[in-house]
Amino acid sequence: MIWLYYRTHLFLLPLLFLISAIVIAGQDNDLTQYVNAFIGTEKNSNSGNVFPGASIPFGMAKVGIDVDVFAPSGYIRNSNNNVTGMSLLHDSGTGAGGSYGTFASMPVYCKDGSITNCKPSKAQRKRPRKVTGSTPSDIARPGYFSSVLNDDTQLEATTTRRTALLRYTFNSTSKNPIISIDWTEDLSNSFRGTGHAQIIKDSNGKAQQILLNGTYGSSFAAAQFFNHQFACFDLNNGDEQIVDQSALWTVKNTGETTINTEKSQIDASEFDSDTSQHGVLVSWQKTNVVDGKAQLLLRVGVSFLSAEQACLNAKEEIPTIDFDMVANKSTAAWQEKLSRVQLDSTTDPTIQKLLYSSLYRGFLTPSNATHEAQGVFTGTTEPYFDSLYCTWDTFRTFFPLLSLTSAQDYADITRSYTDGWRKAGFIPECRANNLPGYTQGGSDGTNVMADFAVKYRNARMGVNFDDLYAALKHDATFDSKTFNNGGGRQIAVYEKYGYIPSDYNDTEVKGLQRFQSSRTAEYAYNDFGIRNVALLLGKMEDAARWTKRSLFYKNVFDKDSESYGFSNFMQKRLMNGNFDKESPIICSPADTNKSHNCFYDAQNTYGFYESSSWEYSFFVPHDFAGLISLIANNSISTFIKRIDTFFERNLFRSDDEPSFQTPVTYHYANSPSRSVARVRKLVLNEFNLTAGGIPGNDDGAAMATLLVMHLLGLYPVPSTREYLIVSPFVPSYTLYNTLLGNVTFKAQDFDPSFLQGQTPLQNSTKAYVKSVTINGKVQTSRCKISFDDIFPAAAAKTTDNTNPPPQNTEIIFEMGTQAEVTDCGPDPSDLPSSMSTGGFASF
Ligand SMILES: *[C@@H]1O[C@H](CO)[C@@H](O)[C@H](O)[C@H]1NC(C)=O
Ligand SMILES: *[C@@H]1O[C@H](CO)[C@@H](O)[C@H](O)[C@H]1NC(C)=O
Ligand SMILES: *[C@@H]1O[C@H](CO)[C@@H](O)[C@H](O)[C@H]1NC(C)=O
Ligand SMILES: *[C@@H]1O[C@H](CO)[C@@H](O)[C@H](O)[C@H]1NC(C)=O
Ligand SMILES: *[C@@H]1O[C@H](CO)[C@@H](O)[C@H](O)[C@H]1NC(C)=O
Ligand SMILES: *[C@@H]1O[C@H](CO)[C@@H](O)[C@H](O)[C@H]1NC(C)=O
Ligand SMILES: *[C@@H]1O[C@H](CO)[C@@H](O)[C@H](O)[C@H]1NC(C)=O
Ligand SMILES: *[C@@H]1O[C@H](CO)[C@@H](O)[C@H](O)[C@H]1NC(C)=O
Ligand SMILES: *[C@@H]1O[C@H](CO)[C@@H](O)[C@H](O)[C@H]1NC(C)=O
Ligand SMILES: *[C@@H]1O[C@H](CO)[C@@H](O)[C@H](O)[C@H]1NC(C)=O
Ligand SMILES: *[C@@H]1O[C@H](CO)[C@@H](O)[C@H](O)[C@H]1NC(C)=O
């Protein structure tokens, strides 16, 4: 077999050189047309929570309509839900929490056209969307959002980084339009009782600007934490629009509405105790008229610093108010990001849309709040990113994808992670609303920073590696004292016992300790990341400490635990070394007891976060060889049976991040074709172009980027340079890394029947990567590829950390049948790397 394998390659070599010209869709091909921004917006549950509105890449202003039921992104597709306004700030893909939806504006229709008769609050002003069949009239494309209400009023938005342009087109010219601007009712009505609203008027008493300043609850623990948000509405569209009247409105808890046209400002300290809803009303006497319809254009700056700063942001970012120009610029910025991945023109149209829709979301978050940091981050001169929501989600695929496409963005975000440690004492984890945010498992920012460091160790791109390492070391050395708030880890006890004992009452840590076993596994992986950076920087003594700890995952495996004929699962472990057994299927889809709380709450006493022991017992990305020895006595067939059982017994919960890696686990059992079958099933069954087309919350594009990686046929091992080679869903593609160069991947003999989900994958389908050729050189492994092989420029040492000259690469995946791809290659070293077998030995 082995001999044949080589012979095949030698025979094909000359052929491969010939097939080097790749047909790539042209650079001027408009890639934004393939984006369906509604994927993941179906309902307000764990089916996406995606934000479909207008934003630039990493935009802070995220503008779209909100509906009248709580949805974490403000929006849901279901046309039964009515529109409450267009608001300015949103997150995308977050879980049950949710924040923003602030400063909504909405046309209101008031008796006799009089401002004093308006019904301006959220509950009063909401209106149905125009619907065709059951589909709402909403349009979303990169940089632009539109919704038409059932009376034909159109709401449109486009943005720059911190500024929105809102366009309202009315159904006639007959009435002077009136807009209600909300101040206190954000998505979760979390106004916290401090702030100020002011109508700035000209010498004729006509309103020109509205300045809003408010304090709101945060996405995590809204009752405990708060943040400040500011907006500045420019009402005149240059001098195209003239305001008629303006007023402050208040709605009492009883529903009684007061409209005050005399007062031009109010401080929240003046609120009566029986009022909770406040805002501003504006009517216009002159607007533009387009096609016989009145049209209003509002420029609205947002800021996290002050209302005055919001006005400055608007003026600076949109000096000339021209909706189409701003929308075109935003679209161009998206085109630039999307063109980092270009697909062969013969790509299946559905796959093309899935890929660009997902890549789009992969650049939508986190939000670039540079120069807008507040709280402990105030005044930082480093790049600043908010809505890192949560790093536990994004370290797995989001950042490893970014490392392929966007060196500079990755460097900026890495600087922001490092700076988070400088300012807040710990690496940010679930930073949201300018607040440190919860830690979900480990200190996973560690793996984001380590991933950058090991890949961009030569170019560095402005990242201070001394500080980066100091931050990693700090998070790995000091307890955060607050397990559920902020970054850091519960280190002392972890290091003392070699695991986090489930009965250890850490009185220094506020709140109950939970997820002890999954956190032990995650801490070990965090330690692996730090170790790799220590090795990279030659800090050998440190590296030894982190290496030891990165193997602590072994300490929570209980050899006496059993499930479905297998033994040795991760379990809760007590201080005395005994295990506190729970069924390994708890919190898997096969768990029939729906009372089990698998989430963040204190009721989750099972030792694992958002998944089962079954699934977490595979989470050892850095040392599968060690795991196979531990739980399968080195028997590959036992290990494969165990993975098969995991899938066959409905233990795989595809809706959540701990599942990301499990379908490719077979690679470590020298059985890449089995991974291909699992990944294909996942992609074709659980991702599609409908509004419900992702299996779980997008979680800051964690799901989106998982799909992109799968479509490209690569799966990352975070904090290393390694990618597993699975099977691409496209015949060829090019990645344009503006720093390192262009790399074209070609699946030679790509078989389109691979994409036909109705039929099970046939053994005869050429769905499997048989051999890998890089710039004409055949590789021995068909299971893994290094970042340095993809981008040789990354390995080029420059004397002063200046950028290396870019280099282009051509990578050919020769596709074969299942019978032709029985293993990873002839040599044990062709398996994906594991620490126990000498992998990841140096960086
Ligand atoms: C939306 O508004 C329409 C018309 O006012 C109303 O019939 C419908 O019940 C509203 N939908 C919801 C979910 O409140
Ligand atoms: C225009 O909008 C107003 C306010 O909602 C509504 O009363 C009127 O019926 C609409 N006219 C048309 C032609 O849709
Ligand atoms: C926002 O309003 C509050 C209440 O009036 C005030 O104390 C605070 O200084 C304002 N903040 C800014 C940045 O203007
Ligand atoms: C915006 O782009 C469209 C389509 O390319 C073009 O027709 C239009 O002239 C552009 N508008 C502005 C103001 O740049
Ligand atoms: C973030 O915003 C700053 C300031 O506008 C800009 O210089 C930087 O390029 C942006 N970075 C990203 C990744 O968008
Ligand atoms: C943990 O210790 C604190 C302080 O001594 C005590 O109040 C609390 O009841 C203990 N919790 C448990 C679960 O033992
Ligand atoms: C289901 O789980 C709940 C919460 O842990 C527990 O109280 C209950 O006894 C369980 N029910 C069964 C049938 O095991
Ligand atoms: C593990 O494998 C070795 C070598 O194949 C064998 O000798 C040993 O009995 C096995 N141990 C168990 C517990 O199955
Ligand atoms: C689309 O994907 C969702 C989420 O995985 C799934 O529930 C649904 O069945 C899929 N729909 C179609 C038509 O494939
Ligand atoms: C990569 O491709 C882009 C777009 O075709 C091109 O402008 C650039 O010069 C290429 N880079 C290299 C290093 O050839
Ligand atoms: C595919 O090959 C596997 C062995 O590699 C075999 O077990 C299976 O039955 C084959 N499937 C079909 C449909 O032939």
Side-chain angles (χ1 to χ4, degrees):
M1 272 308 255
I2 287 168
W3 180 82
L4 259 176
Y5 173 73
Y6 271 121
R7 212 186 66 142
T8 312
H9 285 212
L10 291 173
F11 172 73
L12 278 172
L13 255 179
L15 241 171
L16 296 183
F17 279 115
L18 292 176
I19 319 165
S20 56
I22 308 290
V23 188
I24 296 292
Q27 290 281 56
D28 14 311
N29 184 3
D30 170 20
L31 302 174
T32 64
Q33 66 180 302
Y34 305 118
V35 173
N36 178 342
F38 291 117
I39 295 171
T41 64
E42 186 177 62
K43 46 184 192 235
N44 57 334
S45 65
N46 286 7
S47 72
N49 294 338
V50 163
F51 166 75
S55 174
I56 63 162
F58 305 116
M60 185 174 117
K62 285 192 164 58
V63 184
I65 59 167
D66 298 322
V67 296
D68 61 353
V69 288
F70 177 75
S73 73
Y75 183 86
I76 57 174
R77 190 86 175 121
N78 189 329
S79 58
N80 292 332
N81 291 107
N82 295 330
V83 179
T84 58
M86 249 198 303
S87 70
L88 308 179
L89 295 161
H90 291 95
D91 280 324
S92 185
T94 64
S99 56
Y100 296 133
T102 355
F103 312 121
S105 55
M106 180 74 173
V108 285
Y109 306 98
C110 315
K111 196 159 157 262
D112 306 327
S114 165
I115 201 167
T116 52
N117 291 334
C118 295
K119 301 284 181 206
S121 74
K122 200 196 257 188
Q124 295 167 324
R125 67 179 183 250
K126 66 180 184 179
R127 298 179 70 82
R129 281 171 275 185
K130 187 171 184 167
V131 173
T132 313
S134 61
T135 310
S137 61
D138 310 337
I139 296 168
R141 35 169 218 264
Y144 173 82
F145 186 86
S146 159
S147 185
V148 179
L149 304 180
N150 70 344
D151 64 359
D152 278 333
T153 308
Q154 187 178 18
L155 283 52
E156 293 171 286
T158 188
T159 66
T160 56
R161 183 166 71 96
R162 297 168 297 180
T163 308
L165 279 187
L166 310 177
R167 186 158 74 183
Y168 295 92
T169 307
F170 296 84
N171 68 16
S172 66
T173 50
S174 58
K175 288 205 190 78
N176 290 352
I178 307 178
I179 299 274
S180 171
I181 297 171
D182 215 313
W183 176 27
T184 56
E185 291 179 279
D186 62 342
L187 288 184
S188 41
N189 299 340
S190 73
F191 192 74
R192 292 289 296 273
T194 57
H196 198 86
Q198 184 175 8
I199 305 171
I200 310 267
K201 295 181 176 174
D202 66 11
S203 52
N204 300 322
K206 299 289 184 200
Q208 292 185 304
Q209 278 184 325
I210 294 163
L211 270 49
L212 298 176
N213 153 355
T215 307
Y216 304 87
S218 58
S219 189
F220 275 109
Q224 201 181 339
F225 303 108
F226 57 85
N227 70 105
H228 308 286
Q229 299 168 32
F230 306 88
C232 172
F233 284 73
D234 286 306
L235 306 174
N236 294 346
N237 183 12
D239 51 11
E240 303 282 313
Q241 295 166 189
I242 299 173
V243 168
D244 183 17
Q245 282 189 293
S246 55
L248 296 170
W249 61 261
T250 299
V251 175
K252 287 195 173 171
N253 298 338
T254 57
E256 187 191 327
T257 305
T258 310
I259 290 164
N260 187 331
T261 53
E262 302 298 316
K263 246 179 120 140
S264 62
Q265 56 181 306
I266 180 169
D267 197 89
S269 59
E270 300 168 44
F271 290 173
D272 291 335
S273 59
D274 60 347
T275 62
S276 57
Q277 301 165 36
H278 301 265
V280 180
L281 278 163
V282 184
S283 69
W284 280 262
Q285 64 185 47
K286 173 177 174 265
T287 70
N288 270 330
V289 175
V290 177
D291 296 335
K293 295 170 175 177
Q295 189 175 76
L296 269 179
L297 201 49
L298 304 184
R299 180 179 70 183
V300 194
V302 288
S303 175
F304 296 139
L305 301 182
S306 68
E308 291 70 25
Q309 184 64 46
C311 299
L312 290 174
N313 291 347
K315 234 167 119 174
E316 181 196 312
E317 294 180 4
I318 307 184
T320 311
I321 301 178
D322 179 334
F323 190 94
D324 293 339
M325 190 179 77
V326 172
N328 282 6
K329 265 181 131 163
S330 178
T331 305
W334 280 111
Q335 168 73 8
E336 199 278 318
K337 293 294 188 207
L338 297 176
S339 68
R340 305 288 175 86
V341 180
Q342 295 206 30
L343 307 179
D344 185 281
S345 56
T346 63
T347 299
D348 176 86
T350 300
I351 297 294
Q352 186 178 33
K353 287 188 189 122
L354 282 173
L355 188 131
Y356 284 114
S357 303
S358 307
L359 191 63
Y360 166 75
R361 302 206 304 279
F363 287 111
L364 192 56
T365 61
S367 73
N368 184 353
T370 298
H371 306 314
E372 294 287 341
Q374 66 177 231
V376 295
F377 311 112
T378 302
T380 184
T381 50
E382 285 293 284
Y384 177 78
F385 287 79
D386 199 18
S387 298
L388 305 172
Y389 197 41
C390 282
T391 309
W392 182 83
D393 302 299
T394 53
F395 85 89
R396 302 162 204 262
T397 50
F398 181 96
F399 288 102
L401 174 64
L402 199 66
S403 76
L404 294 173
T405 60
S406 300
Q408 189 62 56
D409 297 339
Y410 197 3
D412 287 355
I413 298 172
T414 301
R415 284 172 66 176
S416 187
Y417 271 96
T418 307
D419 199 46
W421 155 77
R422 280 191 204 102
K423 302 298 187 301
F426 289 97
I427 295 167
E429 194 52 36
C430 290
R431 179 194 289 167
N433 310 105
N434 285 289
L435 292 157
Y438 284 172
T439 301
Q440 283 191 234
S443 172
D444 298 322
T446 297
N447 292 107
V448 172
M449 294 158 73
D451 192 69
F452 179 85
V454 300
K455 287 169 176 165
Y456 288 94
R457 73 263 190 213
N458 292 314
R460 300 200 175 188
M461 310 197 79
V463 174
N464 178 329
F465 273 43
D466 292 335
D467 283 7
L468 179 145
Y469 184 70
L472 299 183
K473 184 166 177 172
H474 182 272
D475 262 37
T477 310
F478 295 99
D479 279 5
S480 64
K481 311 282 190 207
T482 52
F483 150 58
N484 64 356
N485 170 28
R489 300 195 248 157
Q490 203 184 344
I491 286 295
V493 59
Y494 165 74
E495 191 147 35
K496 177 172 171 201
Y497 290 91
Y499 55 92
I500 306 169
S502 60
D503 57 343
Y504 183 79
N505 186 354
D506 193 338
T507 51
E508 291 204 301
V509 175
K510 241 178 101 207
L512 268 181
Q513 296 93 64
R514 332 187 254 283
F515 340 133
Q516 293 89 347
S517 302
S518 61
R519 276 196 292 137
T520 297
E522 292 181 356
Y523 283 20
Y525 197 63
N526 299 155
D527 287 330
F528 168 70
I530 304 174
R531 161 199 183 268
N532 297 348
V533 181
L535 290 175
L536 176 74
L537 301 179
K539 298 179 189 295
M540 300 325 249
E541 211 170 294
D542 282 8
R545 180 179 174 195
W546 316 135
T547 298
K548 177 167 170 240
R549 283 182 11 184
S550 67
L551 300 173
F552 278 3
Y553 72 86
K554 297 183 183 180
N555 298 337
V556 285
F557 277 89
D558 172 13
K559 63 177 172 23
D560 296 328
S561 56
E562 284 185 2
S563 182
Y564 296 126
F566 294 90
S567 63
N568 217 343
F569 289 88
M570 285 190 189
Q571 290 286 303
K572 289 186 290 185
R573 191 167 193 186
L574 306 171
M575 283 184 280
N576 67 10
N578 293 340
F579 288 93
D580 178 11
K581 287 193 205 336
E582 301 270 11
S583 164
I585 73 159
I586 290 181
C587 295
S588 74
D591 180 2
T592 51
N593 187 340
K594 297 305 166 205
S595 312
H596 288 149
N597 186 322
C598 305
F599 295 92
Y600 211 83
D601 318 75
Q603 293 90 322
N604 179 349
T605 56
Y606 317 111
F608 298 89
Y609 182 60
E610 294 194 6
S611 193
S612 60
S613 162
W614 253 99
E615 183 134 51
Y616 271 106
S617 296
F618 292 118
F619 185 72
V620 189
H622 53 307
D623 193 24
F624 268 101
L627 179 71
I628 293 168
S629 155
L630 184 71
I631 68 173
N633 191 22
N634 278 325
S635 161
I636 292 298
S637 62
T638 303
F639 188 64
I640 288 176
K641 258 187 234 140
R642 184 160 169 161
I643 313 169
D644 282 344
T645 302
F646 172 77
F647 284 98
E648 285 155 12
R649 293 279 187 167
N650 192 26
L651 298 162
F652 175 58
R653 49 171 305 179
S654 58
D655 65 341
D656 216 334
E657 281 68 19
S659 73
F660 278 18
Q661 178 205 241
T662 23
V664 299
T665 301
Y666 294 103
H667 267 60
Y668 294 93
N670 207 15
S671 189
S673 58
R674 285 184 166 84
S675 300
V676 171
R678 292 287 174 208
V679 167
R680 174 181 179 271
K681 197 168 165 195
L682 172 72
V683 167
L684 300 183
N685 289 4
E686 307 217 27
F687 291 90
N688 53 61
L689 296 169
T690 71
I694 51 178
N697 284 336
D698 205 31
D699 291 323
M703 280 282 168
T705 51
L706 171 71
L707 180 58
V708 174
M709 295 303 325
H710 280 329
L711 296 179
L712 299 181
L714 300 173
Y715 189 85
V717 184
S719 297
T720 77
R721 295 180 202 128
E722 193 154 300
Y723 289 81
L724 308 185
I725 297 168
V726 190
S727 182
F729 288 71
V730 302
S732 103
Y733 59 94
T734 301
L735 305 179
Y736 294 82
N737 181 309
T738 49
L739 181 80
L740 300 175
N742 305 333
V743 52
T744 296
F745 290 81
K746 185 173 184 350
Q748 183 186 300
D749 282 344
F750 179 82
D751 185 341
S753 73
F754 181 56
L755 308 177
Q756 258 120 60
Q758 312 86 296
T759 45
L761 186 53
Q762 303 299 305
N763 286 348
S764 58
T765 303
K766 288 195 169 182
Y768 312 92
V769 174
K770 185 163 88 176
S771 78
V772 179
T773 305
I774 302 175
N775 287 339
K777 194 162 171 277
V778 182
Q779 309 296 299
T780 67
S781 175
R782 47 191 169 202
C783 282
K784 64 178 176 188
I785 189 166
S786 159
F787 188 77
D788 286 356
D789 289 333
I790 299 173
F791 298 114
K797 282 206 179 13
T798 52
T799 46
D800 48 358
N801 297 329
T802 51
N803 296 344
Q807 292 178 46
N808 296 337
T809 312
E810 185 184 64
I811 297 172
I812 293 176
F813 294 150
E814 187 196 348
M815 306 307 289
T817 62
Q818 208 239 32
E820 292 173 305
V821 185
T822 51
D823 59 20
C824 284
D827 195 88
S829 69
D830 293 331
L831 279 168
S833 306
S834 285
M835 286 175 76
S836 292
T837 45
F840 306 121
S842 63
F843 279 86

